[in-house]
Amino acid sequence: MASAAVSAEDDLRLVVFRLADELYGLNIVNVESIGVLAPITRVPGTPSYISGIINLRGRVTPVVDLRRRLGLAEAPYTDETRIIVVEHEDEQIGLLVDAVSEVRTTAATEIEPPSALIADVGTQYIAGVVKAAGGLVIVLELAQVLRREARDRVKRERVS
Amino acid sequence: MSLNLNASPEDLKVFLEEAEELLQAVEEDLIRLEKGDQAEADGLINEIFRAAHTLKGSSATIGHQRMAELTHAMENVLDLLRKDELELTSQIIDVLLECLDLLRVMKDDIARDEDSGANHGPLLERLKEIAADAGRSLPGAPALAASGSAGQAAPAGAAAGLSEPERARLSEALARGERVRTVRIAFSDDCPMPAVRAFQAVVALEQFGEVIASLPSLDEIEREQVQGTVEITFIGPAPDEEVTSALAAIGDVTGVSLRAVTDAELAPAGTSAAATAQAGPQTAGNAAGEAVAGNDAGRAGGARGPGDGGAKATPSRSLASHTVRVDVRLLDNLMNLVGELVIDRTRLAQIIAQFEAKVGASDLTQELSRTSVHIGRVSADLQEEIMKARMLPVENLFKKFPRMVRDLALKAGKEIDFTMIGQETELDRSMIEEIGDPLMHLLRNAVDHGIEAPAERAAAAKPRSGRVTLSAAHEESHIIITVRDDGKGIDPEKIKAAAVRKGLINADAARRLSDREAINLIFAPGFSTAERVSEVSGRGVGMDVVRTNIERLSGSIEIETAVGVGTTFRLKLPLTLAIIKALLVNVGANIYCLPLSSVTETLHTHSSEVSTVKTREVIVNRGQVLPLVRLRRLFGEPEAERQEYIYIVVVLFDGEQVGLVVDSLIGEQEVVIKSLTKYIGDVPGLSGATILGDGRVGLIVDVPSLVQTATAAAAN
């Protein structure tokens, strides 16, 4: 990308949300919208971290339970539970989070590489860490979080 | 490696779309040409020539040198063909088809912005050899004469080289007070393709006005007779600087100079009337050709002037003014939005009912519900119109088959006369995508197994060349597609023998089969009649997969066959995949939709009627044993509490009935099928999802895969 060199200098805007008492962030450019919990239809035969599919403005949209995906303890949904809709490979995907707190602007240079201190979440999912007034914000690597391992899928036989 | 083309992404997109259209048109024309209809031949060669010419212009404009060179060489050969200086042979068609394949590779490279290193050298050589042959076989009287006259008529200065009509045009323009100028463009000495550059200059100048003449002439530029400079005379008001900078932007241009053409220069020269008469139409023909090239050079849309009439490189062009290209995703989005509208309408109706219950009926509530009903009607119409917009003629799919059949026939050593009927029949684009593979397979079968070798046909007193027909037609809300051949037909006895040999059935069972049942064995998994494995068939994909795919689309397939007479496969398919009638059922927390095309009946049965045979639950329905599948168990829902009565939906696939045990029945409804999304991918037992009236998402059951899974489990 041509803008890579420039963006290092640029400010980064993060959508900050809560998961199991930790703060996490996603680059706002990946975020399409934030919505309240909608009825989720569980799809049989899919990994447990895929909560199911919802009707997002007439579009069938998969929803990923971020707690499960990141291997965190499960918790019941509350009034604060939100679905963050992100854009991934030309599709919209919803991410279930405990609560959305704010949009925070930070200098890209303030992002530090993930340290071994954050043991709760696999480092492959983490792009970096930002220190802020409210505590650490763990910035997620969206592509990794949404990567589906090949064995997840079942291929169908087709005429070739 | 990237291609480093000299064009914006927008231009490239236009180029790619157009290139595909042109290549497709050329391919179709070549195949028709090969069939050898002499009456058509001249017209076809001309069309191919124009398409190659247009492609040369636009590939030069985006700066794809190799593509420009290849199309240019093709154009040379085609030019010789259309002037009857070269005789059309099957070798020439083969070479042209190979060129086409290579152009496709190049086009795909452009689409991916990658250079796969497609090498056009060998083809250029072969095209040159072909062109050279023309010179040898017909010792070039017409060609020589043409260049000779051009030589005579070209003294220094463009104005002096003008034909009489051209002078007249220019004089008139000057009299009207328009600007007439001659621009002289010099190319660098090492410019590899001055002709292409000269051509680009002509295209560029057409933006500023009307190109009247050039030296060398447009015809000579076509024939690559360009040295270091070209002079072009045009009418147009653009400022000198603008013209100069546009021309200077063309590659390999080293100098541009403009001068005004005066009346004095245009004084009639003593050219003979005969020469004028010759030059006139020729120039007009060229202008038509150039107008198309200019049109195609990047600015989509409006047809340009009188040139358009003479230049229908593709049939679709004539429709250009009535149609627009729309991204399919846009239509999908529209469909989604209408879906929302329908759901909101349902909600609105519910709210009105509640409102009425609360405040009592009044004029206002009546007005409200009338409006709501109207919104409902409008959204239904809107939905229908969008569905129509998604319909495409099957031609979009069929057009690739003539080439495929030709190549297959060649490989198999068969002679085949391939016809297509009803290409204008419309079908939802989702369906068109899905039926391509099954049809290709059926055509392969017809060529490989259906049609006999020419000698065999001759021995059976049939014409040497076999006939394969692909046809499409509407029948109520279905489309019927048939693949018919007049080959050897399917012999039920041979099928029985093969099925026994392959261990699909035992000899005893085979004897009891009717002919129809025997023939239907070709759809059995693991059955293939191929005596020998060829490149064409016998690739491990059998008719069973064809049938499974057709039935997955809620369609059906039938065979009619007679030994020695031929075979017909008849496919019956719904017009759209996007909407199906379904039976909605509750299973656990989810609502599942069962396509009505595979539901035969529903039963409400006392649970004591369920018995167990070898760990499998069955009931006896109308004297037949019906295996049961509990959808809760299959879809991983918690087991339901034991109930006195159970609901069973009987579904049929491949002659097998299976009873699906569900929690309760909701009712029949038309549902719009949506994909489960790329992220979720394929899920066994499901074919998609849909948005229900209350806004929830329902899951659509894939009955064939479900029945197969269930019967496979039963077999083990």
Side-chain angles (χ1 to χ4, degrees):
Chain A
M1 267 206 283
S3 61
V6 188
S7 68
E9 306 288 318
D10 274 358
D11 282 347
L12 190 65
R13 301 182 69 206
L14 293 175
V15 173
V16 178
F17 55 93
R18 203 156 44 73
L19 270 184
D21 294 327
E22 298 264 20
L23 291 179
Y24 290 82
L26 275 172
N27 191 335
I28 202 165
V29 300
N30 296 322
V31 176
E32 193 79 12
S33 61
I34 296 168
V36 295
L37 197 60
I40 301 177
T41 300
R42 163 103 192 117
V43 182
T46 52
S48 66
Y49 62 80
I50 297 180
S51 304
I53 48 186
I54 58 166
N55 165 17
L56 184 76
R57 290 183 290 280
R59 208 181 285 205
V60 172
T61 308
V63 174
V64 170
D65 187 323
L66 259 195
R67 275 183 176 254
R68 283 201 200 131
R69 178 59 181 158
L70 301 177
L72 302 170
E74 285 185 41
Y77 303 144
T78 69
D79 284 353
E80 286 190 282
T81 303
R82 291 289 177 274
I83 295 176
I84 300 180
V85 180
V86 295
E87 183 92 19
H88 174 70
E89 291 177 356
D90 294 333
E91 265 186 355
Q92 295 188 333
I93 298 179
L95 303 174
L96 264 180
V97 301
D98 291 0
V100 172
S101 51
E102 59 176 330
V103 174
R104 182 177 298 184
T105 306
T106 174
T109 47
E110 279 179 36
I111 298 193
E112 293 170 16
S115 70
L117 288 175
I118 324 151
D120 281 359
V121 172
T123 45
Q124 73 268 28
Y125 300 129
I126 301 176
V129 179
V130 182
K131 289 200 185 83
L136 285 181
V137 175
I138 302 164
V139 183
L140 290 175
E141 182 69 59
L142 189 64
Q144 281 300 321
V145 172
L146 294 180
R147 205 167 73 90
R148 290 208 51 193
E149 286 75 19
R151 67 188 142 79
D152 274 359
R153 299 175 189 258
V154 188
K155 276 244 159 76
R156 218 183 244 172
E157 193 188 10
R158 310 198 119 224
V159 179
S160 55
Chain B
M1 197 176 111
S2 150
L3 284 164
N4 291 322
L5 295 174
N6 172 25
S8 71
E10 216 25 59
D11 285 350
L12 282 182
K13 206 173 141 214
V14 173
F15 170 81
L16 287 170
E17 279 174 10
E18 179 193 73
E20 179 51 40
E21 233 167 60
L22 287 170
L23 291 176
Q24 191 59 50
V26 170
E27 183 170 289
E28 284 165 28
D29 289 345
L30 279 172
I31 302 289
R32 272 163 68 198
L33 198 57
E34 192 177 35
K35 276 192 183 165
D37 187 343
Q38 282 307 319
E40 272 192 331
D42 285 352
L44 288 171
I45 290 174
N46 261 321
E47 272 186 32
I48 301 170
F49 174 81
R50 281 196 218 106
H53 176 83
T54 305
L55 202 55
K56 178 183 81 175
S58 47
S59 55
T61 310
I62 64 161
H64 198 301
Q65 197 80 0
R66 281 173 297 161
M67 204 167 194
E69 283 170 12
L70 186 57
T71 42
H72 182 79
M74 287 169 75
E75 207 188 324
N76 278 345
V77 168
L78 288 160
D79 193 37
L80 292 169
L81 287 172
R82 71 178 182 156
K83 289 182 181 151
D84 287 332
E85 286 166 33
L86 186 64
E87 203 182 329
L88 185 68
T89 62
S90 59
Q91 280 97 327
I92 295 181
I93 291 190
D94 281 341
V95 170
L96 288 173
L97 283 171
E98 277 178 52
C99 290
L100 205 62
D101 291 340
L102 191 67
L103 288 172
R104 283 232 162 85
V105 171
M106 291 177 175
K107 191 205 78 179
D108 292 345
D109 281 356
I110 296 172
R112 291 195 315 267
D113 192 25
E114 259 176 40
D115 193 349
S116 63
N119 180 14
H120 63 317
L123 278 172
L124 278 185
E125 277 310 307
R126 284 165 70 186
L127 287 167
K128 267 195 195 126
E129 278 166 28
I130 292 170
D133 277 352
R136 240 169 284 146
S137 58
L138 305 153
L144 280 177
S147 66
S149 70
Q152 280 164 12
L162 293 171
S163 71
E164 208 52 41
E166 287 165 359
R167 283 170 196 279
R169 288 290 306 279
L170 295 174
S171 295
E172 274 171 38
L174 282 175
R176 281 197 306 270
E178 288 183 76
R179 270 182 102 174
V180 176
R181 280 164 292 175
T182 295
V183 58
R184 184 168 191 282
I185 304 156
F187 304 109
S188 69
D189 292 342
D190 55 354
C191 172
M193 291 186 67
V196 171
R197 296 310 186 190
F199 189 79
Q200 278 179 271
V202 172
V203 172
L205 276 173
E206 277 170 348
Q207 291 177 45
F208 298 110
E210 195 181 354
V211 171
I212 300 296
S214 76
L215 190 80
S217 72
L218 293 171
D219 218 28
E220 286 165 314
I221 293 175
E222 299 279 289
R223 276 187 265 117
E224 265 196 341
Q225 289 161 357
V226 177
Q227 299 302 320
T229 60
V230 59
E231 291 193 3
I232 306 168
T233 305
F234 70 104
I235 307 171
D240 282 2
E241 310 81 66
E242 243 177 70
V243 176
T244 310
S245 69
L247 293 172
I250 297 170
D252 297 321
V253 168
T254 52
V256 178
S257 59
L258 276 160
R259 68 183 179 82
V261 173
T262 60
D263 241 348
E265 287 176 74
L266 298 172
T271 23
S272 76
T276 313
Q278 249 181 358
Q282 209 177 8
T283 323
N286 266 313
E290 305 312 336
V292 176
N295 206 4
D296 295 328
R299 285 144 298 279
R304 222 188 241 215
D308 204 54
K312 39 168 186 124
T314 60
S316 60
R317 180 147 303 151
S318 55
L319 295 170
S321 51
H322 302 295
T323 58
V324 285
R325 254 182 230 279
V326 174
D327 193 319
V328 172
R329 276 175 298 186
L330 190 68
L331 290 179
D332 288 345
N333 283 343
L334 277 175
M335 198 72 181
N336 284 337
L337 291 171
V338 171
E340 270 183 78
L341 205 56
V342 171
I343 291 161
D344 284 345
R345 217 286 299 185
T346 316
R347 289 272 290 283
L348 191 61
Q350 286 166 0
I351 293 168
I352 292 169
Q354 285 168 9
F355 185 64
E356 217 169 37
K358 218 173 194 172
V359 303
S362 66
D363 287 355
L364 202 60
T365 57
Q366 270 182 10
E367 187 66 14
L368 254 179
S369 52
R370 259 203 302 278
T371 313
S372 154
V373 167
H374 186 247
I375 292 176
R377 209 160 35 225
V378 172
S379 12
D381 288 353
L382 199 53
Q383 192 166 24
E384 198 176 312
E385 291 298 315
I386 295 172
M387 288 301 301
K388 276 189 204 149
R390 291 166 54 96
M391 302 285 264
L392 286 176
V394 285
E395 186 191 2
N396 286 280
L397 170 66
F398 281 16
K399 64 188 178 186
K400 65 179 175 182
F401 292 140
R403 171 78 187 274
M404 189 192 85
V405 170
R406 168 199 182 269
D407 289 356
L408 289 173
L410 218 58
K411 265 183 206 140
K414 309 270 174 84
E415 285 173 27
I416 286 175
D417 188 359
F418 181 57
T419 18
M420 301 195 292
I421 300 168
Q423 282 131 288
E424 71 290 343
T425 314
E426 288 195 330
L427 198 56
D428 188 88
R429 52 164 292 277
S430 55
M431 201 60 143
I432 284 185
E433 280 165 16
E434 293 289 333
I435 60 172
D437 287 345
L439 281 184
M440 208 185 291
H441 195 81
L442 291 176
L443 286 170
R444 274 198 187 120
N445 268 342
V447 173
D448 207 38
H449 308 309
I451 302 293
E452 313 89 329
E456 199 180 322
R457 288 181 66 89
K462 287 165 118 177
R464 279 178 67 83
S465 101
R467 183 171 275 280
V468 175
T469 312
L470 175 65
S471 73
H474 280 151
E475 197 170 275
E476 287 165 9
S477 63
H478 287 84
I479 183 171
I480 309 290
I481 298 180
T482 57
V483 177
R484 171 174 301 145
D485 69 62
D486 68 346
K488 56 179 173 266
I490 302 173
D491 182 347
E493 292 310 316
K494 279 192 185 161
I495 300 287
K496 285 185 196 174
V500 172
R501 200 167 58 241
K502 284 167 214 250
L504 293 173
I505 50 171
N506 61 38
D508 212 35
R511 259 192 300 281
R512 284 198 304 271
L513 290 179
S514 69
D515 282 358
R516 174 157 291 278
E517 284 168 329
I519 285 161
N520 276 325
L521 276 174
I522 67 165
F523 292 122
F527 188 93
S528 164
T529 46
E531 301 277 313
R532 66 202 153 77
V533 173
S534 75
E535 194 187 331
V536 183
S537 309
R539 302 186 309 153
V541 186
M543 291 298 294
D544 58 320
V545 183
V546 171
R547 164 137 89 167
T548 309
N549 278 282
I550 295 296
E551 298 198 350
R552 181 168 286 140
L553 305 174
S554 302
S556 63
I557 181 167
E558 284 168 22
I559 318 174
E560 270 167 47
T561 185
V563 175
V565 180
T567 305
T568 302
F569 285 93
R570 189 169 182 272
L571 275 60
K572 185 176 179 186
L573 294 155
L575 286 183
T576 174
L577 269 186
I579 293 183
I580 55 160
K581 280 208 176 97
L583 174 66
L584 273 54
V585 299
N586 280 310
V587 178
N590 283 349
I591 292 172
Y592 287 86
C593 310
L594 300 163
L596 269 188
S597 60
S598 39
V599 173
T600 54
E601 62 180 318
T602 58
L603 307 170
H604 196 206
T605 309
H606 199 271
S607 52
S608 64
E609 288 181 38
V610 178
S611 54
T612 308
V613 178
K614 285 197 246 167
T615 77
R616 293 268 302 166
E617 288 185 311
V618 299
I619 59 163
V620 176
N621 181 34
R622 297 175 209 281
Q624 286 211 308
V625 176
L626 181 71
L628 296 184
V629 173
R630 290 189 183 264
L631 284 190
R632 269 181 179 255
R633 204 170 295 162
L634 187 82
F635 290 136
E637 296 274 347
E639 293 278 326
E641 284 173 31
R642 266 200 99 69
Q643 270 153 350
E644 203 177 342
Y645 281 91
I646 54 170
Y647 284 98
I648 297 170
V649 180
V650 184
V651 293
L652 178 77
F653 169 70
D654 194 11
E656 304 265 2
Q657 286 203 331
V658 172
L660 306 177
V661 181
V662 302
D663 293 1
S664 60
L665 308 176
I666 299 170
E668 290 177 21
Q669 200 178 307
E670 281 202 335
V671 297
V672 179
I673 303 184
K674 290 165 187 278
S675 128
L676 280 170
T677 72
K678 238 172 23 200
Y679 183 70
I680 301 241
D682 283 347
V683 175
L686 297 181
S687 60
T690 190
I691 294 181
L692 302 168
D694 63 357
R696 287 174 59 191
V697 181
L699 298 171
I700 299 167
V701 174
D702 177 17
V703 171
S705 85
L706 206 135
V707 173
Q708 280 172 338
T709 319
T711 45
N716 289 332

